[in-house]
Amino acid sequence: MQAGVCYYPEHWPQSKWAQDAQRMVELGISHVRIAEFAWSRMEPQQGQYDWAWLDEAIETLAAAGLKVVLGTPTAAPPYWLITRWPEVMPLRADGTPWQFGSRRHYDMSSPDYRRECARIVSVMAERYGQHPAVVAWQTDNELGCHDTLPSYSPATRTAFQQWLAAQYGDIHALNTAWGNVFWSMEYPDFSAVSFPVNTPTDANPAHLLDFRRFLSAEVASFHGLQVEIIRKHSPGRDVFHNFMGFFGAFDHYQFAKAGLDLAAWDSYPLARTEVLALPESDKVRYARTGHPDISAFSHDLYRGVGKGRFWVMEQQAGPVNWAPWNPTPAPGMVRLWAWEAFAHGAELVSWFRWRQAPFAQEHLHSGLNLPGDGYSPGGEEAVQVGAELRQFPAAASQRGHVALVFDYETLWFTDIQRHGKTFDYQMLVFEYYQTLRQLGLDVDILPRDADFSGYALVVVPTLAVVDLALVEKVSTSQALWLFGPRTGARTRNFSIPATLPPGPLQALLPMQVIEVESLRPSLTPETTLAGQAGTAIHWRDHVRVAGDVQTLAAFADGWPALLAKGNVQYAAAWFEPKLHLAWLEQAAQSVGLVTTRLPDGVRVRRRGEITFAFNYSDTPCVLPIPQSAEWLLGNNELQQGQLCAWRESATAVQR
């Protein structure tokens, strides 16, 4: 468990660098990320490099004993580049180009831009790849941020057509797979296929889905291009990318296969709470703390993407600048967020940023230091974290109690055809995750093709496509599998399965979804689950049961609500939170998991023999801690923004 910081030496006089480095060490920082937006300083003119400043910055940090994380500067091409190759600029759906003067102003499919990226990364890696202080590389920065992933340029169209040709081989196969006989949408050849935008009414959902798949592959190959260069010139260093929270424009699991030693992500709990589709009551309550499961969800997701390894590359250290409202964190929260990341297995938590910039777009984005130096309130809490880390024992990783499946293609399927205004796949998964955390359970978020052996409970909030490989996995599993509504609702080509949903899952659970309905707020079908009365919200499947399937619960109007056979249960609706809580609690206990309904706003997480507890609530709480516990941080009386950690012997840890 180590602390880092994001630093921009090019923003500050060189006379400050050595003092900054020394203060970082005093604060307990070990890693410093630099250079990810500095292309114009590295190469002021085409082919004319200025490395003196970066040489000095790296040497200054290294002399203080700091480890350097180098970011490739490809998120911000300089003015001379887009002037020399104007086709590098991405195009909006209406054909107008984005403008210079910000960041992410490039077309990922542009051959010219890929060539220039390969060149600057090669020169950087050749120069610094073997430097003993350089321990890791970050490719680009927040790929797809600001809705910049789709570019509707000629280069992107050509690349999309080539991708389709490779996928289908024959235009007749594409027309059949997409159902293009509908509305006379049949194409004569691949060169006729363009983007699924600017159509009078809905674009073909299969066309939209394949465009999303293509874009995801483009992002992975863009990253992979840089990884190959870095590995050649800088062997033995970690290579990663800094992802974002609740961002699904590309498949992060697919991305990881293009070359990733660990997953990193950028954690901004207050802003993320503000922009997500959470109930207004939650946004009000957690405005200064962040929702208690917002950052935890991404910690667990990216630990899975990184196959057990993840960093927080940017950790909020005070108010930020990009949400609709940007309050200051409640006292203690900057410290709490860092420790919660460590509790979920983070190897490194890196603060954003060292010093608040007094200029440009982010001058209202705080840092550890004020613009004129001196710690900010968040910086003071970072000092405390640094001191605590020096004394904290090593902690092993620990597998969660429950596996929760997150699937990027399911996100795309449901985004393309929500069928109901309030059906949001990420929020459905988040509600299941939140419920499991309220029960005191540790969660591993995994892809559909993960190894689920060893888990007693696997939760699949929904999965658009069920294939035979998954059915085989479930049928041979010792776990209880819980599936949510819309599971198996489509084939890979965005068609309804010939046997009706849930498709191949019917081999294990003989039932059919014969119609579906999205529920406006005034439609609230009633049911009772595990002794708890409540309603469905947002969505309901109308199910016809066959064979020896059990109906564990039904709605008041007679439609089944919860079905079961063997080790499979199927929820035919999106249930309100209290029903999810009762159902998941009963399911967890039925497979021998120990559950505890935690106080509202309080969460726990285990890491080896160490248990952490965090209070996001404005209500104080007293936790029932075993008398044999060895206190490592705090105590069992938690005010808002406070945390504690204790250690038990391995035999005493509940699993």
Side-chain angles (χ1 to χ4, degrees):
M1 292 183 282
Q2 300 180 86
V5 74
C6 303
Y7 186 50
Y8 300 89
E10 68 272 23
H11 295 179
W12 311 107
Q14 191 168 333
S15 59
K16 298 178 74 75
W17 295 356
Q19 182 184 24
D20 284 344
Q22 186 57 45
R23 291 181 59 225
M24 291 174 191
V25 172
E26 293 170 357
L27 192 148
I29 285 170
S30 61
H31 291 63
V32 184
R33 185 190 71 178
I34 62 173
E36 78 273 15
F37 293 119
W39 195 338
S40 66
R41 289 299 175 97
M42 297 175 192
E43 190 179 12
Q45 296 296 328
Q46 183 182 357
Q48 298 178 12
Y49 300 106
D50 179 4
W51 299 112
W53 71 272
L54 189 52
D55 290 348
E56 182 63 26
I58 292 174
E59 291 304 325
T60 300
L61 295 170
L66 293 161
K67 300 174 182 178
V68 175
V69 178
L70 276 179
T72 66
T74 54
Y79 184 74
W80 63 259
L81 192 153
I82 60 99
T83 304
R84 172 67 177 81
W85 294 284
E87 62 274 16
V88 159
M89 294 297 284
L91 299 183
R92 299 181 180 91
D94 64 3
T96 60
W98 295 97
Q99 298 299 309
F100 181 82
S102 185
R103 66 179 185 180
R104 305 224 55 78
H105 47 282
Y106 67 82
D107 180 355
M108 199 175 299
S109 297
S110 164
D112 289 327
Y113 194 60
R114 289 201 173 209
R115 183 194 63 249
E116 291 303 294
C117 288
R119 182 182 55 78
I120 191 66
V121 173
S122 295
V123 177
M124 277 188 76
E126 288 171 3
R127 189 174 188 90
Y128 302 113
Q130 301 292 329
H131 195 291
V134 174
V135 299
W137 292 80
Q138 173 189 297
T139 62
D140 206 89
N141 184 83
E142 295 183 339
L143 284 162
C145 189
H146 317 304
D147 296 323
T148 57
L149 180 56
S151 174
Y152 301 94
S153 67
T156 305
R157 184 172 61 249
T158 298
F160 181 40
Q161 292 165 348
Q162 292 171 343
W163 183 87
L164 290 172
Q167 295 295 309
Y168 291 98
D170 179 272
I171 192 63
H172 301 295
L174 180 145
N175 283 324
T176 300
W178 287 9
N180 283 339
V181 65
F182 194 80
W183 286 353
S184 293
M185 296 181 295
E186 291 166 300
Y187 294 102
D189 51 61
F190 288 108
S191 65
V193 183
S194 190
F195 304 115
V197 296
N198 298 329
T199 55
T201 184
D202 298 341
N204 187 331
H207 191 172
L208 286 161
L209 178 62
D210 269 345
F211 189 54
R212 296 288 289 267
R213 288 169 171 157
F214 157 74
L215 290 173
S216 187
E218 284 289 272
V219 176
S221 68
F222 182 74
H223 166 75
L225 171 69
Q226 299 192 28
V227 172
E228 183 177 357
I229 295 167
I230 293 167
R231 296 233 191 272
K232 177 181 177 181
H233 298 293
S234 190
R237 275 71 173 180
D238 284 327
V239 182
F240 66 90
H241 178 72
N242 59 326
F243 303 111
M244 295 172 285
F246 288 82
F247 185 78
F250 58 88
D251 187 328
H252 294 49
Y253 300 118
Q254 178 190 28
F255 184 100
K257 294 175 183 177
L260 206 68
D261 294 305
L262 59 93
W265 80 285
D266 298 343
S267 175
Y268 294 99
L270 298 191
R272 190 62 58 196
T273 297
E274 193 59 60
V275 300
L276 285 181
L278 294 167
E280 179 64 19
S281 58
D282 282 355
K283 294 187 178 188
V284 170
R285 183 174 188 190
Y286 298 118
R288 294 192 186 277
T289 64
H291 189 285
D293 302 303
I294 287 287
S295 289
F297 180 88
S298 291
H299 294 328
D300 290 338
L301 172 67
Y302 289 122
R303 190 179 62 253
V305 171
K307 295 187 177 179
R309 296 190 63 198
F310 85 96
W311 292 1
V312 177
M313 199 66 253
E314 298 180 14
Q315 176 60 65
Q316 181 174 354
V320 300
N321 68 321
W322 52 267
W325 293 277
N326 296 283
T328 57
M333 289 309 303
V334 171
R335 170 178 173 254
L336 183 150
W337 294 327
W339 276 109
E340 182 156 56
F342 291 130
H344 285 259
E347 298 174 4
L348 176 77
V349 174
S350 174
W351 310 102
F352 188 87
R353 50 192 284 168
W354 174 249
R355 182 183 291 109
Q356 182 178 352
F359 47 74
Q361 283 92 329
E362 293 184 352
H363 66 270
L364 290 177
H365 198 304
S366 61
L368 297 184
N369 287 272
L370 302 171
D373 279 339
Y375 288 128
S376 66
E380 296 288 353
E381 293 187 24
V383 171
Q384 184 178 355
V385 172
E388 291 167 339
L389 282 173
R390 292 186 181 98
Q391 304 298 321
F392 205 80
S397 298
Q398 178 171 316
R399 169 179 262 190
H401 302 104
V402 181
L404 178 71
V405 174
F406 184 89
D407 183 66
Y408 286 93
E409 285 213 348
T410 296
L411 169 62
W412 304 339
F413 273 92
T414 53
D415 272 356
I416 289 167
Q417 237 179 37
R418 288 197 174 193
H419 192 59
K421 178 180 178 180
T422 57
F423 193 99
D424 183 326
Y425 171 72
Q426 290 197 91
M427 297 314 298
L428 174 62
V429 178
F430 181 71
E431 284 204 16
Y432 276 83
Y433 177 81
Q434 176 181 218
T435 302
L436 293 166
R437 293 252 293 162
Q438 288 172 333
L439 293 170
L441 297 170
D442 296 332
V443 182
D444 291 337
I445 300 178
L446 300 173
R448 61 181 296 151
D449 60 353
D451 178 5
F452 296 101
S453 60
Y455 291 100
L457 183 64
V458 181
V459 178
V460 188
T462 188
L463 192 64
V465 178
V466 173
D467 56 22
L468 294 177
L470 181 69
V471 172
E472 175 65 18
K473 186 171 290 189
V474 177
S475 68
T476 58
S477 172
Q478 300 300 309
L480 174 62
W481 289 68
L482 308 182
F483 291 93
R486 299 185 81 165
T487 292
R490 295 292 181 267
T491 69
R492 193 178 187 281
N493 293 327
F494 221 119
S495 298
I496 297 172
T499 59
L500 297 181
L505 190 63
Q506 293 176 51
L508 304 179
L509 190 68
M511 53 162 274
Q512 291 178 317
V513 177
I514 59 174
E515 60 184 0
V516 299
E517 60 175 348
S518 53
L519 301 172
R520 69 184 326 279
S522 62
L523 294 176
T524 55
E526 297 178 351
T527 189
T528 299
L529 293 182
Q532 174 66 61
T535 66
I537 56 176
H538 305 311
W539 186 274
R540 182 167 66 152
D541 294 338
H542 287 184
V543 175
R544 179 168 56 202
V545 177
D548 55 351
V549 174
Q550 289 181 276
T551 300
L552 300 181
F555 290 103
D557 58 9
W559 288 109
L562 184 63
L563 306 166
K565 181 180 179 181
N567 67 330
V568 177
Q569 293 185 15
Y570 185 97
W574 183 329
F575 299 123
E576 65 173 309
K578 62 183 180 181
L579 289 183
H580 275 149
L581 185 67
W583 173 39
L584 294 183
E585 181 179 49
Q586 183 183 71
Q589 291 175 355
S590 74
V591 294
L593 295 177
V594 177
T595 64
T596 302
R597 292 199 181 192
L598 296 170
D600 203 19
V602 174
R603 297 292 185 267
V604 297
R605 188 62 168 82
R606 298 156 193 86
R607 184 168 176 175
E609 297 179 3
I610 300 174
T611 302
F612 297 82
F614 308 90
N615 189 5
Y616 285 78
S617 170
D618 55 6
T619 303
C621 74
V622 179
L623 298 174
I625 308 300
Q627 292 185 351
S628 60
E630 173 193 356
W631 286 106
L632 302 174
L633 290 172
N635 57 58
N636 66 331
E637 298 183 15
L638 299 182
Q639 304 289 327
Q640 184 182 62
Q642 292 185 339
L643 65 118
C644 63
W646 66 93
R647 178 164 52 191
E648 301 175 60
S649 65
T651 56
V653 175
Q654 292 181 345
R655 298 191 181 274

